[in-house]
Amino acid sequence: MGKVKFGIIGVGNMGMCHLGFFAAGKVKNGEVAAIADINPAKLAAAQEKFPGAYEVYSSGEELIDKADVDVVLVAVPHYSHPGLAIRAFRRGRNVICEKPAGVYTKQVKEMNAAAAESGKLFTMMYNQRTNPLYKKMHQIVAEGGIGELRRVTWQITNWFRTQFYYDSGAWRATWKGEGGGVLMNQCPHQLDLLQWICGMPCKVRAFCHFGKWHDIETEDDVTAYFEFPNGATGAFITSTADSPGTNRFEILGSRGKIVCEKDTLTVSRLHTDLQEFLMTEKSGFAEPEHTEEVIPQSGENPQHVGILNNFANAVLGLEPLYVNGQEGLRCVELIDAMLFSGWTGREVSLPIDDDAYYKELQKHVAASKEKDGADLLIDNSMSFGGTK
């Protein structure tokens, strides 16, 4: 078999980035055989910027049905992710889906069922899982390097966005067009990493502020509280209106602590179990001894290119798939739980009630206002570099 043939559906901001990766020869065993977009201007812009011998289609459905491709890469607004993926699976295509997997859990579960039934390869574009810092955090926690989970905090507020950003597309930050704001657009990678490293919470209580800092319908400022099955607790704070922003991910365990900030991991390891020490120590102010290691970012951090290369190689049978696409459900469930809690003012248990969330979402979709806005291409490369 020669190179794996990719079809890119959606050549907006992210789709254009992916097209550029292929044009630069960064995907060793893959090539673009087709592109699609419902916007003729975007198709023309893609062909002008990255000319190539690929077919061009006016819709994702047409590409899936007619193009000679092995892989469909879905890079369109969120609501359309599951429908296009399901169609692709039923046509025998392998699928890469941009984040998030969908807007609500009901549709993501349908997508996952279609993936399982098809037997084709499926991955989410969780490029931050290729970051060596997060890979190291995952390894340390999985191997018990800091003991049992006690507390998780992630303040991720370096998502500053202007009103111009939100006005650049009629679909942005609307319940009808995007299905959410900072949680649905900016934070899926962080929420995926949080559950990948720490596991899924079992309870969520969130305070979501809708259009607090911008003239938008959806959330632009969120503070959430988590509880985990073992009794550990957590906090997740995010906003698109803080500058300078913060990106600090901290995990406390019974045998130490990990802090990830400014492209560096600081790992503290206790010489004794924390709970045992606090229950048996005879001094009121003593703390357990610990050692500290600082791990700067090093090694390859291939991001999107890493996921693309892995998928092409997995299709060819050269290496195992790095990210199971069905895991995309967990991130959507966390987002939905936080929004549901914010709307209702109540704690939400996980797994959430799919039907109850969908019903509540539809109330907001029905009230969503039509928004005039140019469908602009924005250089978003700064939004996914490094650990942001």
Side-chain angles (χ1 to χ4, degrees):
M1 182 177 180
K3 288 191 174 184
V4 175
K5 297 177 182 179
F6 284 72
I8 301 176
I9 300 177
V11 285
N13 295 330
M14 277 312 311
M16 192 74 88
C17 286
H18 294 311
L19 190 55
F21 297 144
F22 284 96
K26 294 183 178 181
V27 185
K28 180 180 178 182
N29 289 318
E31 62 184 5
V32 174
I35 64 172
D37 202 292
I38 61 173
N39 187 332
K42 288 187 177 180
L43 286 174
Q47 290 173 280
E48 181 179 357
K49 187 171 184 178
F50 301 113
Y54 46 76
E55 298 177 337
V56 178
Y57 295 91
S58 59
S59 73
E61 291 82 0
E62 187 182 18
L63 183 151
I64 291 168
D65 292 346
K66 298 181 179 180
D68 179 19
V69 296
D70 305 301
V71 175
V72 169
L73 196 166
V74 179
V76 296
H78 310 147
Y79 276 107
S80 299
H81 289 182
L84 289 169
I86 290 170
R87 190 184 190 97
F89 287 130
R90 289 176 178 169
R91 298 294 190 277
R93 318 292 194 192
N94 303 289
V95 174
I96 300 178
C97 185
E98 267 292 347
K99 55 81 178 171
V103 172
Y104 51 93
T105 52
K106 282 173 67 74
Q107 63 173 182
V108 178
K109 288 180 178 179
E110 292 170 2
M111 176 173 65
N112 284 353
E117 184 178 349
S118 74
K120 307 306 289 186
L121 291 179
F122 176 33
T123 198
M124 289 296 302
M125 185 53 76
Y126 282 154
N127 49 281
Q128 288 292 356
R129 289 201 195 184
T130 71
N131 186 313
L133 292 180
Y134 297 130
K135 290 172 71 174
K136 186 66 174 178
M137 292 181 79
H138 180 267
Q139 177 188 351
I140 292 170
V141 173
E143 293 176 351
I146 57 168
E148 185 180 15
L149 186 71
R150 290 173 70 101
R151 191 182 312 281
V152 179
T153 58
W154 200 338
Q155 182 176 347
I156 174 70
T157 57
N158 58 344
W159 299 125
F160 188 78
R161 298 291 187 270
T162 63
Q163 187 64 39
F164 176 83
Y165 167 84
Y166 288 112
D167 292 343
S168 69
W171 65 284
R172 288 191 182 278
T174 64
W175 295 115
K176 185 176 182 180
E178 190 167 16
V182 63
L183 293 174
M184 192 67 70
N185 191 312
Q186 281 77 35
C187 290
H189 289 299
Q190 284 65 42
L191 293 171
D192 169 64
L193 290 169
L194 190 150
Q195 70 80 24
W196 182 54
I197 296 169
C198 303
M200 282 288 283
C202 58
K203 295 179 182 178
V204 174
R205 177 67 175 98
F207 299 85
C208 301
H209 298 270
F210 304 100
K212 181 176 183 178
W213 305 112
H214 304 86
D215 182 17
I216 59 174
E217 296 177 351
T218 57
E219 78 286 354
D220 59 1
D221 196 299
V222 176
T223 298
Y225 166 78
F226 298 150
E227 288 187 9
F228 292 83
N230 73 335
T233 58
F236 187 81
I237 301 168
T238 191
S239 175
T240 53
D242 287 15
S243 184
T246 298
N247 184 359
R248 181 182 174 92
F249 185 13
E250 181 175 316
I251 306 172
L252 176 71
S254 60
R255 301 285 305 199
K257 183 173 73 172
I258 308 173
V259 176
C260 183
E261 187 174 24
K262 295 181 179 178
D263 294 332
T264 300
L265 283 186
T266 304
V267 183
S268 303
R269 291 182 171 87
L270 301 180
H271 295 182
T272 186
D273 181 84
L274 182 56
Q275 190 65 26
E276 177 185 348
F277 184 90
L278 71 83
M279 293 300 294
T280 59
E281 171 60 35
K282 301 306 180 184
S283 169
F285 300 98
E287 292 190 37
E289 294 183 5
H290 71 276
T291 57
E292 189 170 284
E293 177 186 8
V294 176
I295 306 173
Q297 182 163 327
S298 61
E300 293 186 2
N301 187 13
Q303 296 287 320
H304 301 80
V305 171
I307 297 295
L308 293 171
N309 274 301
N310 169 254
F311 202 75
N313 291 340
V315 171
L316 294 172
L318 301 177
E319 61 183 80
L321 189 65
Y322 183 52
V323 179
N324 180 346
Q326 297 194 38
E327 293 183 46
L329 174 64
R330 298 171 190 167
C331 167
V332 175
E333 185 157 39
L334 284 172
I335 294 170
D336 289 359
M338 284 188 273
L339 290 174
F340 203 17
S341 178
W343 285 330
T344 62
R346 300 195 304 266
E347 178 185 275
V348 173
S349 296
L350 297 179
I352 67 168
D353 184 326
D354 299 332
D355 293 322
Y357 179 78
Y358 179 75
K359 183 178 180 180
E360 187 67 27
L361 173 64
Q362 294 314 300
K363 295 179 185 177
H364 295 273
V365 170
S368 188
K369 297 178 181 178
E370 295 293 333
K371 185 175 73 168
D372 294 328
D375 198 6
L376 302 178
L377 285 171
I378 298 176
D379 181 5
N380 63 342
S381 59
M382 291 177 62
S383 72
F384 53 72
T387 57
K388 192 170 185 179

